[in-house]
Amino acid sequence: MRRLFVLALSLTILLPLLAVLLAFAAATSQAECGGAVGPGDAPDVPSSLVAIYEQAADTYQLGGAGWAYLAAINEIESDFDESTLPGVHSGANADGAAGPMQIGIGGAAGNTWATYQVDAPGGPTPPSVYNETDAVYTAANYLHAHGAPADWPAAIYAYNHAAWYVTQVQQLHQHYSQNAGAGSTVLTTDTGSAGGCVTTGPTTPGAAARILPDGLAAAPLDAPEPVQAAIAAGNRIIDTSYSTERQPNMLSTVMASYDCSGSTDFVLYQAELNTPQVDIGDGIAGDSGMLESYGDPGPGQWITVYASAGHAFIEIAGIVLDTAHWTPTVPPGSGPRWQPATILPAQLADGNTWTERHPPSL
């Protein structure tokens, strides 16, 4: 009976069902490619606001991820200025917060606006807490003053003293970074034709990678796809801090912090260049000593892993991702950052006994 019933279903029922199933499969594959991408109902960032976020983040040196954090706060606080709740377009809410970024103008929220207000380009004069541009620039100013980009969790907590708020902002930031558009700084993750993960980002002509002013790396167009994917993976963690903590799924999902081997392993794993020596179970990265037996011996044409008993880092197409900083980095702070290959002589002379390894054929 069940089989006859299924066979009797009309195409008008089957086709929508198939579309739903395909959409679910695509969403599942997307999550597997990039890890957690934030709340499923998170809206796209309005294109009219992207330039404001980027310019504010650049003005206050919030790094390549800054625009997405500003977008996340704007969405949470006022649904991108579409909310009709008290205080968004006039007056203040019960705590004394006002405008599209819900900045304190008095009461329990304090008078943040009086201290950090910015007369932003294109905004009214005098500046207004209800103006989107002024509010976003003021929020960027406040976040920078409270630790961003070196310590985003602390800066977000200062903005709103709630752990849930920090978590939600970080989730939305990751979602926007992977799925929204913001000029050359955006990284998007999607499923490739063969079912694998294809992560894209800024590119540059030729065979050498280039470090951009915002700290991201542009992948060389002449490089093989795994090399470009490795650079895109490194871009995803350049605003994280340094920590030796080993966390489940730290190779498949962006965490708040990475050490030297963890960041190297993340890049290799995301580019599908991992080996059993890299993963010790539950997506947890091994230590630097394990990378001494990674892949094939010697330097690679495109990728070289430098490993010792006490430290590890990776060179990709002429630039280095390392948690030891031998030159000023963008963003500042601890954690993995892109640096030019000119740091190699100093790094390799630091007293460690180095082993050079590379992915097969790369």
Side-chain angles (χ1 to χ4, degrees):
M1 294 287 291
R2 182 178 177 84
R3 184 179 180 186
L4 290 174
F5 175 74
V6 172
L7 290 174
L9 286 175
S10 68
L11 288 176
T12 58
I13 297 176
L14 285 174
L15 290 178
L17 178 61
L18 179 60
V20 170
L21 291 173
L22 289 173
F24 175 79
T28 301
S29 180
Q30 175 83 355
E32 290 173 351
C33 282
V37 294
D41 59 352
D44 291 334
V45 180
S47 58
S48 60
L49 299 181
V50 169
I52 297 174
Y53 301 140
E54 286 192 310
Q55 291 161 9
D58 183 63
T59 299
Y60 291 97
Q61 301 177 338
L62 297 183
W67 75 270
Y69 281 108
L70 292 170
I73 292 172
N74 198 186
E75 197 281 326
I76 294 170
E77 297 293 358
S78 69
D79 191 20
F80 301 115
D81 203 23
E82 294 296 321
S83 173
T84 58
L85 291 174
V88 174
H89 299 289
S90 63
N93 68 13
D95 292 324
M101 300 296 278
Q102 289 293 277
I103 297 168
I105 59 172
N111 199 341
T112 300
W113 177 257
T115 304
Y116 295 97
Q117 64 177 287
V118 176
D119 190 355
T125 300
S128 169
V129 71
Y130 306 106
N131 176 265
E132 181 77 32
T133 306
D134 288 343
V136 169
Y137 271 71
T138 298
N141 184 22
Y142 181 89
L143 291 165
H144 178 74
H146 287 79
D151 191 343
W152 274 108
I156 299 166
Y157 188 82
Y159 199 93
N160 188 334
H161 299 305
W164 68 263
Y165 187 85
V166 176
T167 299
Q168 190 170 353
V169 169
Q170 289 179 312
Q171 287 178 336
L172 283 170
H173 144 259
Q174 185 174 345
H175 174 79
Y176 296 148
S177 294
Q178 294 175 351
N179 298 289
S184 65
T185 65
V186 160
L187 312 174
T188 58
T189 306
D190 206 346
T191 9
S193 58
C197 298
V198 179
T199 305
T200 60
T203 57
T204 187
R210 183 166 61 91
I211 302 174
L212 302 175
D214 60 8
L216 293 172
L221 290 172
D222 292 347
E225 185 176 300
V227 176
Q228 297 185 22
I231 290 175
N235 281 340
R236 297 179 64 200
I237 58 174
I238 64 161
D239 64 336
T240 61
S241 59
Y242 181 87
S243 172
T244 58
E245 180 183 359
R246 291 293 186 263
Q247 306 170 75
N249 303 315
M250 65 184 292
L251 301 184
S252 58
T253 302
V254 175
M255 300 296 178
S257 60
Y258 287 88
D259 67 355
C260 60
S261 59
S263 55
T264 300
D265 289 342
F266 178 86
V267 167
L268 295 172
Y269 185 91
Q270 289 285 317
E272 299 184 353
L273 298 172
N274 58 302
T275 70
Q277 289 92 341
V278 176
D279 192 340
I280 60 175
D282 294 328
I284 299 177
D287 58 25
S288 57
M290 296 176 73
L291 286 166
E292 291 183 282
S293 58
Y294 167 77
D296 289 345
Q301 177 185 355
W302 293 100
I303 297 176
T304 301
V305 172
Y306 294 88
S308 70
H311 190 54
F313 63 96
I314 188 169
E315 179 189 7
I316 309 171
I319 58 174
V320 171
L321 187 73
D322 194 358
T323 55
H325 302 167
W326 298 84
T327 185
T329 62
V330 178
S334 63
R337 302 291 187 270
W338 290 115
Q339 299 167 76
T342 52
I343 71 166
L344 283 172
Q347 173 65 294
L348 297 177
D350 69 352
N352 282 289
T353 300
W354 293 101
T355 299
E356 299 176 347
R357 312 287 296 188
H358 69 275
S361 77
L362 293 176

